[in-house]
Amino acid sequence: MSDSINNKTQITNSNPENWFASWFDSPYYHILYKERNYREAQLFMDNLTHYLNLPEKAKVLDLACGKGRHAIYLNQLGFNVIGADLSENSILEAQKNSNETLHFQVHDMRETFEDKFDAIFNLFTSFGYFENDEDNLTTLKAIKESLTEYGFAVIDFMNVTNVLNNLVPEEVKHVDGIDFQIKRYLKDGHIFKEIDFEDQGHKYHFTEKVKALTLKDFEEMMEEAGIFLLDVFGDYKLKKFHKTESERLIMIFK
């Protein structure tokens, strides 16, 4: 972050193909989303691992783990966990919690793991970031190839229909003395979130861009990838998925 002749330097993640690399590595990402409901997330992990009936000390991959909060909780439930994320900063932070049965590593989700897992979790809409649609299919194939013979994978995605029906076009979020000005819109089959704010004499602009994938889109990709979709849920209590009413699209597959 360098000084400029201008009073306020504009700092942006302008590369559309890798917006997630710079934004997820930014401390401001974690400030903006610090109020996420992690108790709800832990309840989801409880329900999910119970539903899957994972064996004691099962090998679990938290794919796109961020700073590892959910990987840590899964490890506390007794599982042998690896957390993987593209963000080097997040993994450095997560590694402070490493132990004999909890490890973290930098990893691109498009690449297959050498290890095989009893369960792979991709949680909280950590899918559909790539500019090239083929990369989404590649990611699904990599997940499938990284499972054991009897393993299960879970993708927890937004329910696009519900999101678009309830989209808030503009709002301001006040967090830690920073006013995050947020704009949301649908464009070219993607849901965009433009985030603008100022801090310590600098202007910042970040863009989140997620492919607006429906259940039908996932079903088509999974069929092409040779994946079996076993069950679909609509919330973290694992209630039945409803196309317009459900908040989440949670898919269990192998």
Side-chain angles (χ1 to χ4, degrees), residues 167-183:
L167 199 68
V168 179
E170 294 189 24
E171 69 172 321
V172 178
K173 286 193 174 182
H174 309 279
V175 188
D176 288 1
I178 300 172
D179 292 339
F180 292 93
Q181 299 178 42
I182 300 170
K183 294 182 180 179

Side-chain angles (χ1 to χ4, degrees), residues 148-160:
T148 63
E149 183 181 355
Y150 301 105
F152 297 96
V154 180
I155 290 180
D156 161 35
F157 200 69
M158 61 182 166
N159 178 14
V160 165

Side-chain angles (χ1 to χ4, degrees), residues 130-144:
F130 302 112
E131 187 73 13
N132 186 344
D133 289 346
E134 280 297 311
D135 286 335
N136 294 322
L137 179 61
T138 299
T139 299
L140 283 177
K141 290 178 178 176
I143 291 173
K144 178 178 182 286

Side-chain angles (χ1 to χ4, degrees), residues 54-61 79-82 114-120 147-148:
L54 294 178
E56 189 178 351
K57 298 182 180 178
K59 196 165 187 179
V60 177
L61 171 64
F79 301 115
N80 189 338
V81 182
I82 290 181
E114 289 184 15
D115 291 338
K116 302 295 181 188
F117 298 92
D118 300 304
I120 297 176
L147 287 170
T148 63

Side-chain angles (χ1 to χ4, degrees), residues 3-204:
D3 292 330
S4 168
I5 295 174
N6 298 324
N7 289 331
K8 292 179 179 177
T9 307
Q10 175 91 4
I11 298 170
T12 178
N13 63 337
S14 57
N15 184 346
E17 292 193 12
N18 288 307
W19 64 264
F20 43 86
S22 56
W23 177 221
F24 293 162
D25 256 350
S26 163
Y28 295 106
Y29 169 80
H30 300 284
I31 292 172
L32 176 59
Y33 293 117
K34 66 184 291 186
E35 298 303 328
R36 282 178 166 170
N37 189 335
Y38 288 107
R39 181 68 203 109
E40 183 183 53
Q42 290 179 351
L43 177 66
F44 179 36
M45 296 299 96
D46 291 339
N47 292 335
L48 198 55
T49 53
H50 180 75
Y51 169 81
L52 294 175
N53 194 25
L54 294 178
E56 189 178 351
K57 298 182 180 178
K59 196 165 187 179
V60 177
L61 171 64
D62 182 4
L63 188 61
C65 68
K67 290 188 175 182
R69 189 183 294 258
H70 308 108
I72 293 166
Y73 184 70
L74 287 165
N75 182 241
Q76 290 171 351
L77 292 177
F79 301 115
N80 189 338
V81 182
I82 290 181
D85 200 281
L86 193 63
S87 167
E88 293 184 13
N89 287 349
S90 291
I91 290 299
L92 279 173
E93 187 69 24
Q95 283 174 339
K96 296 176 183 177
N97 301 284
S98 297
N99 60 48
E100 287 186 4
T101 56
L102 176 63
H103 302 280
F104 295 94
Q105 65 185 78
V106 176
H107 182 86
D108 188 320
M109 65 170 63
R110 290 168 287 193
E111 298 174 2
T112 305
F113 276 81
E114 289 184 15
D115 291 338
K116 302 295 181 188
F117 298 92
D118 300 304
I120 297 176
F121 296 157
N122 179 248
L123 306 171
F124 309 107
T125 310
S126 300
F127 192 94
Y129 296 161
F130 302 112
E131 187 73 13
N132 186 344
D133 289 346
E134 280 297 311
D135 286 335
N136 294 322
L137 179 61
T138 299
T139 299
L140 283 177
K141 290 178 178 176
I143 291 173
K144 178 178 182 286
E145 292 301 316
S146 301
L147 287 170
T148 63
E149 183 181 355
Y150 301 105
F152 297 96
V154 180
I155 290 180
D156 161 35
F157 200 69
M158 61 182 166
N159 178 14
V160 165
T161 304
N162 181 271
V163 167
L164 292 177
N165 286 344
N166 297 282
L167 199 68
V168 179
E170 294 189 24
E171 69 172 321
V172 178
K173 286 193 174 182
H174 309 279
V175 188
D176 288 1
I178 300 172
D179 292 339
F180 292 93
Q181 299 178 42
I182 300 170
K183 294 182 180 179
R184 301 178 181 88
Y185 55 90
L186 177 70
K187 180 182 176 183
D188 298 331
H190 291 78
I191 295 174
F192 284 80
K193 184 187 287 186
E194 304 276 358
I195 303 160
D196 289 278
F197 57 95
E198 293 185 15
D199 188 40
Q200 298 181 10
H202 295 290
K203 286 185 176 181
Y204 293 85

